[in-house]
Amino acid sequence: MLPKDKLKEVVDYHIQQIRRTTDFVPDLALVLGSGLGGLADEIKTEAVVNYSDLHRFPVSTVPGHKGRFVFGYIGDVRVVIMQGRLHYYEGYSMQDVVMPIRVMAGLGAKILFITNAAGGINTGFEPGDLMMITDQITSFVPSPLIGENVDEWGTRFPSMNVIYDKRLRRLIEETAMDNRIFLKHGIYLQTTGPQYETPAEIRMFRRLGADAVGMSSAVEAVIARHMSMWVCGVSCITNMAGGLGGSAMTHEEVQNNAVKAANEFKKLVTESIIRFGNVIL
Ligand code: HPA
């Protein structure tokens, strides 16, 4: 666990390294989940920084995750995209897992838009559905805020009463409606992974109130709220969780179903961001 001075130094060091490549100041940070990374290849790109080009930056090891920051424009909105995120199950410390979120906030981003592939727990969901995240639960995932607090970033005991910003949620809903995209709503539950859940675990999570399950995102949202960013998120339901779909889960299935839902997903995310630009930024 890094002490606060060291943690701040590491984040500042990554920001400085990125600043050697680009002085682009993003308004919004977008994290793209498994199979959803293609959106980053379609934006008006200003600069690209590979995680592997940053000295001492953790590098993603998951197939389907590229591992780079893409800077550019969605409409007129200045964005930084994480094309590939870091997961706790890869073996990184939790401080490392959320480091990129701190870095993107430090680069100027005021909004964090989270996306992910997730398993459906709510029996009203089907693979291919898009779900707006309204709240979250973590299961055996340590808080990313454990360790000394950096007061400059946020308070020791941040409130999580509203993680997913209501105004952003409303704008995403309006965007979905205008584009005839049927959007589900629900609570995202984060496990550590990497194993998929058992049927018994999924029954437990359903009783706890979760609608979808994944292995990322909730800790990113906590960090962003700690830094007073506005947070929103959309899950792509790639499968029914824990064998509810009748077959064993594979990462390939998750990726393939994410790719199938990609067009609607891309439309919803890009049009929502353009709307944020018109209304908020
Ligand atoms: N469980 C956990 N994470 C996931 C799943 C799942 O069923 N699908 C996509 N990510």
Side-chain angles (χ1 to χ4, degrees), residues 117-120 191 195-197 213-215 236 238-242 249 254:
T191 65
Q195 77 282 9
Y196 290 114
E197 302 71 32
V213 57
M215 305 174 192
C236 175
T238 49
N239 58 281
M240 291 312 286
M249 294 276 322
V254 167

Side-chain angles (χ1 to χ4, degrees), residues 10 20 47 54 86 91 112 134 144 146-147 160 170 173 187 227:
V10 171
R20 271 183 231 143
L54 298 172
L86 307 171
L112 177 65
T134 55
I146 289 174
M160 294 289 144
R170 187 157 6 96
E173 256 159 39
I187 293 174
M227 299 186 92

Side-chain angles (χ1 to χ4, degrees), residues 14-30:
H14 292 315
I15 293 170
Q16 279 165 23
Q17 290 187 83
I18 291 169
R19 284 287 172 243
R20 271 183 231 143
T21 304
T22 178
D23 57 7
F24 191 87
V25 176
D27 283 320
L28 180 143
L30 171 64

